[in-house]
């Protein structure tokens, strides 16, 4: 009985000690300044993560899709919005410059530069410090490239159909290189294959030591969508002054999937990414000689080929 009584007394004493400690802690908390306990420490990492600048530095794996044009998610509504968007310039170019007849083979004025003094290209050409990249697939319409090379620009043409690995013609450098939007397969990177001739634009810029390009021309026969998406995701757009882009609308394009309304919604969302990157559409050309087909359908009798000119309104050349 004495042992049981001592055990009970010990347990009771321990319980009293715990209660006393809790009571003291509550008294101390009640003496703290009002709102002190509700404050949550904010670290520098948390503050940085809340800023738009930090969000832009976070790697992106896909573009942001725009809302559907209509609740019905129909093809006609998506096509109407998209065609209206690519046909309506957002900024007026007071000094447009097309390819003169001396250089014009097949362009017929479709490729147009913007030489407004509001932007930097005219001054860059005059000072002979301009750099041009042309990405193409066995293209014969190189009038724009030759015109710019004749003006003293440094012109690099990337074409996988060239017979020689590298050629030089005055201010034009021709490279047998296919511009890709995917990383090379590491299992084949060191093999004796053509893997080395397929590279992303960001890798080309780094390997050439080029920080900026004044004019980028894309004529990639339906590969333009995925290459453009890669430019967006890898933040190459800030390094470009002018973007000339030929769109091919008769089919979705390489590695573009989904039903017809989803494809056009993707096209529209991708071009809207340019606008969010401070690009503005200054030129739109609908090729009357191409079939009137969009995704193999006649929609509003629109051409299957458009040439667009975009200017980066925030581009500041270095050097």
């Amino acid at each position: 009985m004495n042992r049981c009584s001592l055990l009970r007394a010990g347990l009771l004493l321990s319980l009293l000690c715990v209660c006393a400690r809790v009571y003291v802690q509550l008294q101390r908390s009640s003496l703290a300044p009002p709102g002190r306990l509700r404050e949550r420490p904010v670290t520098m990492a948390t503050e940085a993560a809340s800023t738009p600048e930090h969000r832009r530095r976070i790697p992106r794996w896909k573009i942001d899709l725009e809302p559907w044009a209509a609740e019905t998610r129909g093809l006609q509504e998506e096509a109407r919005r998209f065609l209206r968007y690519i046909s309506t310039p957002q900024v007026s170019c007071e000094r447009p410059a097309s390819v003169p007849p001396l250089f014009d083979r097949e362009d017929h004025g479709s490729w147009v530069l913007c030489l407004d003094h509001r932007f930097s290209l005219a001054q860059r050409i005059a000072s002979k410090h301009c750099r041009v990249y042309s990405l193409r697939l066995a293209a014969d319409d190189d009038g724009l490239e030759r015109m710019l090379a004749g003006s003293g620009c440094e012109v690099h043409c990337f074409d996988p159909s060239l017979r020689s690995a590298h050629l030089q013609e005055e201010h034009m450098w021709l490279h047998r290189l296919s511009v890709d939007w995917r990383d090379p397969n590491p299992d084949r990177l060191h093999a004796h294959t053509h893997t080395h001739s397929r590279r992303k634009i960001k890798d080309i810029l780094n390997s050439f030591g080029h920080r900026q390009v004044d004019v980028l021309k894309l004529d990639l026969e339906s590969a333009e969508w995925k290459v453009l998406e890669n430019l967006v995701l890898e933040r190459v757009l800030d390094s470009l002054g002018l973007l000339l882009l030929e769109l091919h609308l008769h089919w979705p394009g390489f590695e573009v999937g989904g039903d017809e309304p989803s494809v056009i919604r993707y096209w529209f969302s991708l071009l809207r990414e340019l606008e969010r990157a401070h690009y503005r559409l200054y030129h739109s050309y609908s090729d009357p000689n191409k079939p009137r087909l969009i995704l193999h359908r006649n929609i509003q009798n629109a051409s299957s080929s458009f040439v667009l000119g975009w200017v980066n309104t925030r581009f500041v050349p270095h050097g």
Side-chain angles (χ1 to χ4, degrees):
M1 292 294 294
N2 291 335
R3 292 181 179 178
C4 292
S5 299
L6 291 174
L7 181 60
R8 290 177 180 176
L11 292 175
L12 181 60
L13 182 61
S14 300
L15 182 61
L16 290 174
C17 291
V18 171
C19 293
R21 184 175 181 83
V22 172
Y23 176 80
V24 171
Q25 293 293 334
L26 290 175
Q27 289 296 319
R28 289 179 179 176
S29 300
S30 65
L31 296 177
R36 177 75 175 273
L37 295 178
R38 291 190 295 269
E39 292 180 358
R40 182 174 62 89
V42 180
T43 63
M44 293 300 294
T46 304
E47 291 177 346
S50 64
T51 62
E53 291 78 7
H54 181 78
R55 286 197 296 268
R56 284 196 292 267
R57 290 194 296 268
I58 297 175
R60 296 177 61 187
W61 302 104
K62 60 182 180 179
I63 67 169
D64 298 326
L65 290 177
E66 293 291 320
W68 292 94
E71 294 183 358
T72 57
R73 303 185 178 186
L75 174 61
Q76 294 296 329
E77 292 82 2
E78 293 298 325
R80 188 179 303 113
R81 176 177 68 171
F82 175 74
L83 291 171
R84 182 172 60 247
Y85 186 77
I86 65 175
S87 303
T88 309
Q90 300 165 339
V91 63
S92 175
C93 180
E94 299 175 0
R95 294 184 60 197
S98 57
V99 181
L102 176 64
F103 298 98
D104 196 353
R105 295 180 183 177
E106 298 182 5
D107 291 351
H108 307 299
S110 59
W111 302 98
V112 175
L113 302 172
C114 186
L115 301 181
D116 278 15
H117 289 295
R118 293 175 294 169
F119 312 118
S120 63
L121 182 58
Q123 294 88 341
R124 299 282 285 177
I125 294 177
S127 63
K128 300 187 184 301
H129 284 94
C130 56
R131 179 178 295 122
V132 179
Y133 273 25
S134 174
L135 315 183
R136 60 197 194 188
L137 298 175
D140 295 327
D141 54 341
D142 59 352
L144 179 71
E145 293 89 327
R146 294 186 178 279
M147 180 188 75
L148 289 170
S151 301
C153 291
E154 173 190 343
V155 179
H156 294 269
C157 301
F158 303 93
D159 188 339
S161 67
L162 295 175
R163 294 183 179 181
S164 300
H166 299 283
L167 295 173
Q168 183 177 355
E169 303 175 3
E170 295 184 0
H171 293 284
M172 282 186 65
W173 285 263
L174 308 179
H175 310 279
R176 188 178 63 198
L177 188 64
S178 176
V179 175
D180 207 344
W181 55 91
R182 298 156 293 195
D183 289 311
N185 187 336
D187 297 332
R188 301 179 58 194
L189 187 60
H190 301 290
H192 298 288
T193 64
H194 295 288
T195 305
H196 295 284
S197 64
R198 303 179 64 90
R199 305 177 69 179
K200 296 188 293 184
I201 296 181
K202 186 174 184 179
D203 297 331
I204 296 174
L205 287 168
N206 292 335
S207 63
F208 283 13
H210 297 160
R211 296 178 57 190
Q212 293 180 320
V213 172
D214 295 284
V215 179
L216 174 63
K217 176 185 174 183
L218 300 182
D219 186 4
L220 295 175
E221 306 299 330
S222 299
E224 66 272 4
W225 296 112
K226 299 305 290 186
V227 171
L228 182 59
E229 182 183 57
N230 178 255
L231 294 178
V232 171
L233 298 180
E234 297 204 341
R235 300 178 184 84
V236 182
L237 294 177
D238 292 342
S239 304
L240 309 177
L242 225 66
L243 175 62
L244 303 177
L245 175 68
E246 182 172 17
L247 303 181
H248 302 85
L249 309 178
H250 59 286
W251 72 296
F254 293 103
E255 295 190 9
V256 177
D259 58 16
E260 293 173 336
S262 298
V263 167
I264 300 182
R265 181 193 181 200
Y266 166 79
W267 290 349
F268 175 72
S269 301
L270 191 50
L271 296 181
R272 284 279 291 153
E273 291 276 2
L274 293 178
E275 191 176 348
R276 278 192 287 271
H278 309 293
Y279 281 71
R280 296 296 180 266
L281 181 67
Y282 70 87
H283 171 68
S284 175
Y285 172 81
S286 172
D287 193 337
N289 299 314
K290 294 297 176 67
R292 302 283 169 166
L293 293 175
I294 296 181
L295 298 180
H296 306 291
R297 296 172 181 261
N298 188 323
I299 300 179
Q300 299 184 16
N301 202 32
S303 173
S304 61
S305 178
F306 280 76
V307 175
L308 306 181
W310 297 80
V311 58
N312 183 355
T313 59
R314 300 285 184 89
F315 182 70
V316 179
H318 301 305

